[in-house]
Amino acid sequence: MIIVGGVAFIFGFFQAAKRGDKINKENAQKNQTKIIFWHAMGGPLGKVLDEMIDEFNQTHPDIYIVPQSMGNYNALSQKLLASAIAKNQPVLAQAYEAWIAKFVKGDLLLPFNKFITNVEDFKKDFYPVIFEDNVYKGKLYSLPFNKSTPILYYNKELFKKSGLSTSPPQTWDDFLMYSKTINKKNSNKLGYVGAGTVSDFECFLVQNGGKLLSDDGKTILFNSKEGAEALQFLLDMKYLHHVADYYIGAGFQFQTDFITGRASMMIGSSVSRIYIEKNLMFNWGMAPLLRGKNKGVLIYGTNIVLFKNATDKQQRAAWEFVQWFLSPKNQAKWAAQTGYLPARISSLKTKEFQKTIKNYPGLKKIIMGLKDGFVDPRTAVWFIARQNLEQAINNAFLSDKIISAYKNYNSSLASDPKNPKLKKQLNTRVQSIIKEELDKAAKKTQKWLE
Amino acid sequence: MRTFRRGEKRIHKDYLSDTETAFLFLLPAFLIIFVFQIFPMFYALKLSFFRWDMITPKHFVGFKNYLNLFSEKEFWQSLGNTFYYVIVSIPFGLGLSLFFAILLQKGIRMLSFYRTAFFLPYITSMAAIAIVWLWIFNPNKYGLLNYILNFFHIEPQKWLQSPILAMPAVIVVLIWKNLGFNIIIFLTRLENINSSFYESAEIDGANKWQQFWKITFPLLTPTTAFLLTMSTIFAFQVFASIYVLTPSGGPKNATTTIIFYLYKNAYQQFRMGYASAIAYVTFFIILIISLIQKKLMKTNYEE
Amino acid sequence: MKMIWKILLHLVLAVFSFIMIMPFVWMILTSLKSPAESIEFPPKWIPAAKYYVSYGNSTEEIIIKEKGNDKWKGIIKAGRNRGKVLTIKKEEVHKKQFLWENYLKAWKSAPFGLYFFNSFFTAVVTTVAQLLTSALAAYAFAKLDFPFKNILFVILLATLMVPKQVILIPNYVILAKLGWIDTYKALTVPWLASVFSIYFMRQYFESIPKDLFSAAKIDGCTHWQTLTQIVIPLSTSVFVTTGLFTFIASWNSLLWPLIVTNSPAMRTLQVGLTVFNQESGTNWTQLMAASTFSLAPLIIVFFLAQKTFIEGIAASGLKE
């Protein structure tokens, strides 16, 4: 039996080795400029990327883009660092703004200005926030690659069943009202389920008129009254009105509540659509985030960079590809199949995208909302800031002091329902605890800015 | 041409001395280990005296990294978490492993199946298994543990999201995962204890319990010592599995171990010099503890 | 052994075996579920019976509303065509409970045949090499006398005490300078020796009675002969164990192959598995299927290895 197994194995290996050789040979074509592109997309998103790169390679026979997936962003970051040190970088790579800022500092990148004759013209068809996001020291060191924003997913059927309009809520007040109605009409259902993420908090903060960082980049500003109020709004939804639930530190688990219909609304990335829509068994919609005092939607995702140590030929070929990828038609295709948002304004007008909007009507408003978008500060310090913020938010959500503050309020209210002072006391108490946590996070982060 | 020194005959054979043989025998391993472990280790030591973000050139800061280290609250917290982990997981882990290793010796049927079952957690990848544990420890009432607690009228616990329960929960998972490894090492040794020892003991009237303490346990001492040393060294460096269970480091950093802290500094905050300093402080701590362990074991048992 | 003890033993082992393998059983069951079932909460253990029909270009899952004599009525469960009512012939409805095709889908989603080969090649080379280098070194430390013996051993142990995370970058640079990135050399050469294996074998060799060595020496054996003809035959179980651990460690290693390889042609199984687990979501059913078939060889290797333990080692015929 061992012999049979051994023979089978050996046979299998030679087959696999042959296939390996074939794949290796495919990469070695003469007269082609070979471009290695490191990214971190896998699964269905990676598939779309591979298909688009295939299409480019077919239509541009003198260029050969070789995509190499690093599995996830952590690994991609480690690889980019390692290759920077060993000086064997690829030609193109996907990168976060914080990494790009570092690469710019280390003079590793080639700005795309080299290939753009008129930057002002080029700039026109891009959403300003997204375009500026790629400008460092006055030059265009990167270009948008996979941008997405958090959006509101909502259960149209549950809305209808509860007597609400199937148009989504637009303001904080609407949001609360919808949630209360859902919960009232269906005692086992919630209005909103969330994960208390940093991105959620940043959006609510900005919507409440707050800021993350001062304009000169020197002072942390998220530990403001607006921040405390924003976080309290979310806490109120659960502990005061009992119309929301949160899965703190539990990844994508919160989405399950929305998928099973336990909660009528959730906030998730526009890309989540690709993963959950097959499982949604009810009529659902997508909408832009809420409006508080202001509009505020965080634009996240990575950009694409070109490394300086590529040869001249490689640089030009890389630019061909990036240009092609950023064309309105291809951006529309990319957006339609992945849930990422098209970086080009004119993508909206393409036929391809018109079809997508027909299938997902909420998408139009979401994309138009990109002009109210904001991005995270582009410093590596923001990585630490996010981690500290995450701690602060988790602490607030799980805080025994806060939970008992709400408990006391509820019991005091029962015996003294008309007392206006009680709510004020609750607000003060909860916000002071939240502020304490935010202050700690701010202080820990501020140290790095010096 | 050496002459054979011992014994009565003098044989003219080309024997290498002990030292020369040792040199040849050690060469292959040392070559690899020197290039890929020892040399990088010293490079990292050098790095710990620099400030380096891996992109811009490094600059020398002397002992500043170490001084900063000792004044960072998060460092002490992660060190404390690590000690907590080591002190709890090792006795339980080794104790349980020994217990099961004894049970899994010869004597009953289906031994292959049982042994494979105990070994399975060790070889299964954490990524695939984590989801199951996350469900077991799910903080709402449908999580498996809370579901069971419900039958005893105990309130659902927050488990991995509770600052108090997070580390114990992680410890349980890691003991479960590493049990197989320790069991196999114990088994390897147990299987080789000559059964005639037990037979003669039985003839002398010793029961199973006495046999264990007088024969098995003493003969296992070198293995136990080995496992204790190794487990301690590995336990101090626990990280990857914890990262999968609590990627954010746990509520209030409850499950942030020293290596987790190192990883954050090196790869998320680009502080490679500082991270190297953390590595060397960890190294010294492990070294001291290993030396203490060795001394204690020497005084308790004869070599 | 008395009957009652045997029964008790079986009971205890059975209960704990169940606890040990429960997550693994879950893994396999989940690999056979539909994507919707895999994210259900509270989760079900066993996948339910599901009904599928072809609709347009794809297969859709339906919920059966009416079962007529030859025509059934069903509603499409999810996705774009959610809610559409279909009347289909009974024969055209496929009932499935365990979705074995998840394994095929997972296999096809990346060049897993190639990954298997790479993992196996790396693991075998590493294991064989480590057994050789470790046996030699362990013998030297256990039985030979030479200057600096203790210092050298302490240095070896020290390498285990320095966290690997800070060794990663220097190693990468060394490999890059040698031009070995993205080759089999990078995957195997750094692991041709292991301090753990040396320490483990040394610990075992030291327990071999000294009389054997004295006898060998009197007979005029060189150390090489002593090693190959006496020590190794006595150490089968240690070799098997060390080989087992080395194979497993190599098979399961993720970070190292990830960092030192770039192209799909050089990727190993563990790296291949990351394709299912993305920032934006995880494909649970295929991840579980892929994890299961990645695990299978290890189980086989272990099963074969532990048979050596059961067969036992012939008594060495010595008195301690």
Side-chain angles (χ1 to χ4, degrees):
Chain A
M1 204 191 63
I2 298 181
I3 300 177
V4 173
V7 170
F9 260 143
I10 297 176
F11 182 68
F13 298 147
F14 281 112
Q15 290 290 67
K18 259 203 293 194
R19 198 166 159 206
D21 272 337
K22 198 171 124 207
I23 293 182
N24 275 327
K25 281 209 186 80
E26 280 169 357
N27 292 349
Q29 302 278 32
K30 289 178 270 196
N31 298 334
Q32 272 188 334
T33 314
K34 184 168 151 197
I35 306 282
I36 304 225
F37 171 33
W38 282 1
H39 64 88
M41 322 219 72
L45 305 174
K47 239 202 189 120
V48 177
L49 180 62
D50 283 341
E51 281 168 8
M52 289 184 74
I53 290 182
D54 260 342
E55 194 192 321
F56 176 84
N57 286 338
Q58 303 287 359
T59 53
H60 296 75
D62 54 335
I63 306 178
Y64 193 70
I65 309 273
V66 180
Q68 290 178 341
S69 168
M70 296 305 153
N72 57 57
Y73 288 119
N74 274 341
L76 179 61
S77 155
Q78 285 181 289
K79 283 222 69 137
L80 285 174
L81 288 172
S83 70
I85 301 170
K87 304 213 187 353
N88 63 349
Q89 294 118 317
V91 175
L92 287 170
Q94 204 187 352
Y96 275 111
E97 292 85 341
W99 308 350
I100 299 176
K102 269 256 178 283
F103 296 154
V104 169
K105 200 166 158 208
D107 198 26
L108 297 173
L109 303 176
L110 184 74
F112 288 100
N113 297 69
K114 181 173 173 185
F115 310 102
I116 303 174
T117 32
N118 191 330
V119 180
E120 289 307 310
D121 267 346
F122 183 72
K123 192 171 156 177
K124 281 193 194 135
D125 197 28
F126 286 90
Y127 296 95
V129 175
I130 294 184
F131 190 83
E132 287 310 311
D133 186 40
N134 291 289
V135 176
Y136 297 79
K137 302 203 259 196
K139 296 230 177 96
L140 200 58
Y141 273 98
S142 59
L143 283 169
F145 182 64
N146 61 338
K147 296 312 217 187
S148 59
T149 66
I151 63 178
L152 187 68
Y153 290 89
Y154 61 100
N155 188 331
K156 282 188 185 164
E157 275 180 31
L158 199 47
F159 279 13
K160 203 162 168 204
K161 188 166 162 217
S162 316
L164 293 163
S165 139
T166 55
S167 304
Q170 293 185 353
T171 63
W172 284 25
D173 291 332
D174 288 344
F175 186 60
L176 183 58
M177 188 267 285
Y178 272 64
S179 301
K180 280 184 174 169
T181 315
I182 303 267
N183 183 248
K184 196 156 169 223
K185 296 281 167 81
N186 314 273
S187 59
N188 61 341
K189 304 270 188 221
L190 294 171
Y192 171 65
V193 64
T197 63
V198 174
S199 302
D200 288 347
F201 169 70
E202 289 186 354
C203 292
F204 277 99
L205 166 70
V206 172
Q207 288 162 14
N208 199 28
K211 283 180 97 165
L212 292 172
L213 188 66
S214 63
D215 288 334
D216 60 8
K218 298 214 175 116
T219 322
I220 301 286
L221 293 178
F222 57 63
N223 56 333
S224 54
K225 186 165 201 304
E226 288 84 2
E229 283 173 355
L231 210 44
Q232 192 197 350
F233 177 70
L234 291 173
L235 288 169
D236 278 353
M237 297 264 298
K238 174 164 182 177
Y239 295 114
L240 188 61
H241 308 290
H242 309 290
V243 297
D245 200 4
Y246 298 98
Y247 288 80
I248 305 299
F252 291 108
Q253 263 189 327
F254 74 103
Q255 291 184 351
T256 313
D257 271 5
F258 176 74
I259 295 174
T260 56
R262 177 182 177 233
S264 70
M265 295 183 277
M266 78 172 198
I267 293 177
S269 161
S270 54
V271 177
S272 294
R273 152 173 79 92
I274 303 293
Y275 290 89
I276 65 175
E277 67 179 328
K278 295 183 243 86
N279 301 322
L280 294 176
M281 301 196 292
F282 45 79
N283 217 353
W284 59 280
M286 303 191 289
L289 289 187
L290 309 163
R291 187 178 69 242
K293 296 182 196 150
N294 296 334
K295 289 194 192 174
V297 57
L298 176 65
I299 302 179
Y300 39 46
T302 66
N303 300 322
I304 191 169
V305 293
L306 174 58
F307 285 99
K308 234 178 166 183
N309 59 1
T311 66
D312 208 53
K313 235 182 169 184
Q314 285 174 325
Q315 291 173 8
R316 290 188 186 284
W319 168 244
E320 276 283 329
F321 172 67
V322 174
Q323 229 187 346
W324 178 89
F325 191 78
L326 286 176
S327 67
K329 194 181 99 189
N330 285 321
Q331 283 293 295
K333 200 181 197 183
W334 176 240
Q337 294 180 3
T338 60
Y340 287 116
L341 303 168
R344 300 291 291 264
I345 302 179
S346 52
S347 287
L348 272 175
K349 300 201 212 92
T350 61
K351 249 198 219 131
E352 165 87 47
F353 213 66
Q354 292 296 325
K355 209 170 69 172
T356 312
I357 293 187
K358 247 199 185 149
N359 291 335
Y360 304 99
L363 211 49
K364 188 159 182 210
K365 281 215 176 115
I366 291 171
I367 293 182
M368 301 208 309
L370 281 177
K371 51 179 164 48
D372 307 307
F374 67 95
V375 291
D376 267 347
R378 300 181 310 178
T379 153
V381 174
W382 208 253
F383 218 102
I384 303 165
R386 279 190 144 245
Q387 290 180 336
N388 294 334
L389 257 181
E390 189 178 0
Q391 283 299 322
I393 297 171
N394 286 358
N395 290 345
F397 271 98
L398 299 172
S399 159
D400 290 324
K401 285 194 260 182
I402 288 186
I403 295 179
S404 48
Y406 279 104
K407 267 208 183 116
N408 291 338
Y409 170 78
N410 280 324
S411 48
S412 311
L413 196 68
S415 45
D416 190 6
K418 295 267 167 74
N419 190 342
K421 282 211 206 124
L422 287 176
K423 187 75 186 9
K424 256 207 171 128
Q425 279 173 357
L426 176 70
N427 289 353
T428 319
R429 175 84 179 124
V430 169
Q431 281 182 32
S432 76
I433 301 174
I434 294 177
K435 182 114 188 347
E436 213 184 293
E437 290 295 339
L438 288 178
D439 282 340
K440 271 195 272 183
K443 194 162 154 228
K444 277 204 278 190
T445 315
Q446 189 71 45
K447 274 203 296 193
W448 291 87
L449 284 174
E450 280 127 33
Chain B
M1 195 86 123
R2 305 275 158 89
T3 44
F4 188 48
R5 279 182 280 134
R6 290 223 197 131
E8 294 152 349
K9 303 181 204 157
R10 280 211 167 160
I11 302 168
H12 291 279
K13 283 214 179 151
D14 216 9
Y15 284 122
L16 299 171
S17 71
D18 263 17
T19 312
E20 288 166 336
T21 315
F23 179 76
L24 284 178
F25 277 18
L26 290 177
L27 192 63
F30 259 91
L31 201 60
I32 304 285
I33 294 176
F34 181 79
V35 173
F36 296 103
Q37 305 265 9
I38 301 180
F39 175 71
M41 212 170 100
F42 282 108
Y43 182 74
L45 178 60
K46 170 179 152 193
L47 269 186
S48 70
F49 297 107
F50 285 78
R51 189 178 165 173
W52 193 36
D53 64 359
M54 293 180 275
I55 305 285
T56 55
K58 40 174 142 23
H59 54 270
F60 184 72
V61 292
F63 280 96
K64 215 158 172 212
N65 284 334
Y66 291 93
L67 292 174
N68 286 341
L69 192 62
F70 293 123
S71 58
E72 282 256 358
K73 196 176 119 193
E74 216 186 323
F75 166 72
W76 292 108
Q77 191 183 9
S78 45
L79 197 59
N81 290 339
T82 312
F83 269 96
Y84 181 1
Y85 173 78
V86 173
I87 292 174
V88 176
S89 69
I90 296 204
F92 274 111
L94 287 188
L96 278 174
S97 314
L98 182 55
F99 175 68
F100 285 117
I102 293 174
L103 294 185
L104 288 168
Q105 288 177 96
K106 301 187 274 268
I108 52 171
R109 291 190 289 169
M110 284 185 49
L111 215 47
S112 300
F113 168 75
Y114 287 132
R115 289 175 174 184
T116 313
F118 275 86
F119 201 63
L120 214 46
Y122 180 67
I123 56 181
T124 316
S125 85
M126 201 58 195
I129 285 306
I131 185 67
V132 183
W133 282 103
L134 288 174
W135 166 58
I136 294 176
F137 285 124
N138 195 296
N140 77 30
K141 57 187 159 131
Y142 298 118
L144 186 62
L145 271 183
N146 283 339
Y147 187 69
I148 296 177
L149 283 184
N150 196 23
F151 286 120
F152 296 98
H153 300 290
I154 306 180
E155 265 198 24
Q157 298 296 313
K158 290 197 213 131
W159 303 115
L160 289 171
Q161 292 172 21
S162 143
I164 302 179
L165 293 175
M167 187 52 109
V170 161
I171 291 178
V172 165
V173 179
L174 283 169
I175 290 182
W176 168 85
K177 190 151 203 309
N178 289 317
L179 218 52
F181 177 82
N182 295 328
I183 289 177
I184 292 300
I185 295 191
F186 274 127
L187 262 184
T188 315
R189 190 71 187 99
L190 283 171
E191 293 286 312
N192 285 309
I193 296 179
N194 200 325
S195 52
S196 61
F197 292 149
Y198 294 116
E199 284 159 14
S200 33
E202 193 124 350
I203 293 175
D204 285 347
N207 63 27
K208 287 261 184 271
W209 191 244
Q210 289 169 318
Q211 284 177 32
F212 175 73
W213 280 113
K214 288 282 157 66
I215 302 176
T216 319
F217 199 74
L219 283 179
L220 273 183
T221 310
T223 311
T224 314
F226 168 74
L227 274 179
L228 196 58
T229 314
M230 285 286 113
S231 302
T232 311
I233 294 179
F234 292 147
F236 262 100
Q237 299 177 54
V238 71
F239 163 58
S241 304
I242 299 193
Y243 183 72
V244 180
L245 289 171
T246 58
S248 60
K252 299 202 175 137
N253 287 335
T255 58
T256 303
T257 57
I258 195 75
I259 301 300
F260 206 144
Y261 179 62
L262 190 165
Y263 178 84
K264 277 165 58 165
N265 275 288
Y267 296 109
Q268 292 177 353
Q269 300 172 12
F270 308 126
R271 292 162 97 190
M272 202 53 177
Y274 185 71
S276 303
I278 300 173
Y280 269 90
V281 172
T282 309
F283 164 73
F284 276 113
I285 295 175
I286 299 179
L287 184 63
I288 293 173
I289 298 205
S290 300
L291 290 175
I292 295 177
Q293 272 182 334
K294 196 161 179 217
K295 267 237 151 68
L296 284 179
M297 291 191 290
K298 256 200 172 130
T299 51
N300 274 328
Y301 301 96
E302 291 166 12
E303 274 280 51
Chain C
M1 234 206 269
K2 283 198 283 217
M3 199 53 176
I4 179 114
W5 286 116
K6 275 198 175 165
I7 295 180
L8 199 60
L9 196 55
H10 268 285
L11 202 63
V12 171
L13 284 179
V15 167
F16 280 101
S17 297
F18 177 70
I19 297 177
M20 296 305 269
I21 67 174
M22 186 189 60
F24 178 68
V25 170
W26 171 269
M27 202 168 99
I28 298 191
L29 287 176
T30 303
S31 71
L32 298 170
K33 295 179 186 160
S34 68
E37 284 178 310
S38 68
I39 55 171
E40 257 175 28
F41 200 82
K44 285 205 295 273
W45 278 85
I46 308 205
K50 300 173 279 285
Y51 298 94
Y52 295 89
V53 295
S54 340
Y55 182 77
N57 306 346
S58 58
T59 318
E60 299 278 5
E61 189 186 342
I62 58 172
I63 305 176
I64 304 289
K65 283 291 168 194
E66 261 178 46
K67 285 187 181 180
N69 273 333
D70 53 22
K71 287 233 172 140
W72 285 6
K73 217 186 218 167
I75 302 185
I76 295 187
K77 203 171 168 197
R80 300 255 67 235
N81 299 303
R82 213 209 116 258
K84 258 207 168 72
V85 180
L86 301 173
T87 318
I88 356 94
K89 286 195 222 140
K90 185 161 68 168
E91 304 80 55
E92 294 185 353
V93 178
H94 308 283
K95 178 173 170 196
K96 281 189 262 198
Q97 188 179 4
F98 297 104
L99 299 179
W100 295 99
E101 66 249 31
N102 285 338
Y103 280 86
L104 201 60
K105 276 193 206 157
W107 183 266
K108 285 216 183 117
S109 58
F112 274 102
L114 195 53
Y115 295 162
F116 246 98
F117 173 74
N118 290 336
S119 282
F120 195 83
F121 179 76
T122 310
V124 168
V125 169
T126 311
T127 305
V128 171
Q130 259 190 42
L131 286 178
L132 288 173
T133 59
S134 306
L136 288 171
Y139 181 87
F141 279 114
K143 293 300 166 192
L144 297 178
D145 258 311
F146 50 94
F148 304 121
K149 176 174 171 178
N150 285 325
I151 299 180
L152 282 175
F153 196 72
V154 168
I155 293 182
L156 281 192
L157 273 191
T159 65
L160 287 180
M161 301 181 196
V162 176
K164 292 193 306 287
Q165 288 74 10
V166 295
I167 309 284
L168 190 66
I169 299 280
N171 268 335
Y172 184 87
V173 175
I174 293 174
L175 290 175
K177 289 229 158 85
L178 289 168
W180 287 0
I181 295 289
D182 219 26
T183 65
Y184 283 116
K185 297 192 209 70
L187 285 173
T188 55
V189 175
W191 310 109
L192 297 181
S194 143
V195 177
F196 175 79
S197 301
I198 296 176
Y199 192 359
F200 185 47
M201 283 197 190
R202 178 193 91 136
Q203 180 264 130
Y204 191 83
F205 288 173
E206 275 177 342
S207 71
I208 296 179
K210 295 195 174 50
D211 321 5
L212 277 179
F213 290 92
S214 316
K217 212 160 190 181
I218 291 175
D219 281 348
C221 288
T222 61
H223 286 298
W224 174 258
Q225 287 168 321
T226 315
L227 175 64
T228 50
Q229 287 163 18
I230 299 180
V231 176
I232 293 186
L234 278 181
S235 317
T236 328
S237 63
V238 153
F239 270 77
V240 168
T241 312
T242 310
L244 181 68
F245 284 140
T246 311
F247 192 89
I248 292 172
S250 174
W251 191 268
N252 278 342
S253 83
L254 170 59
L255 188 60
W256 182 259
L258 189 58
I259 294 291
V260 304
T261 63
N262 298 330
S263 44
M266 295 305 303
R267 289 277 154 92
T268 60
L269 266 182
Q270 297 298 326
V271 176
L273 288 177
T274 60
V275 75
F276 298 114
N277 207 343
Q278 291 303 301
E279 303 283 324
S280 5
T282 303
N283 189 329
W284 291 112
T285 56
Q286 287 185 18
L287 174 62
M288 293 302 148
S291 300
T292 308
F293 63 60
S294 305
L295 193 53
L298 288 184
I299 300 181
I300 297 173
V301 169
F302 173 74
F303 205 79
L304 293 173
Q306 62 85 42
K307 263 191 185 296
T308 354
F309 300 155
I310 290 192
E311 253 120 52
I313 318 301
S316 53
L318 292 174
K319 300 178 184 65
E320 287 222 20

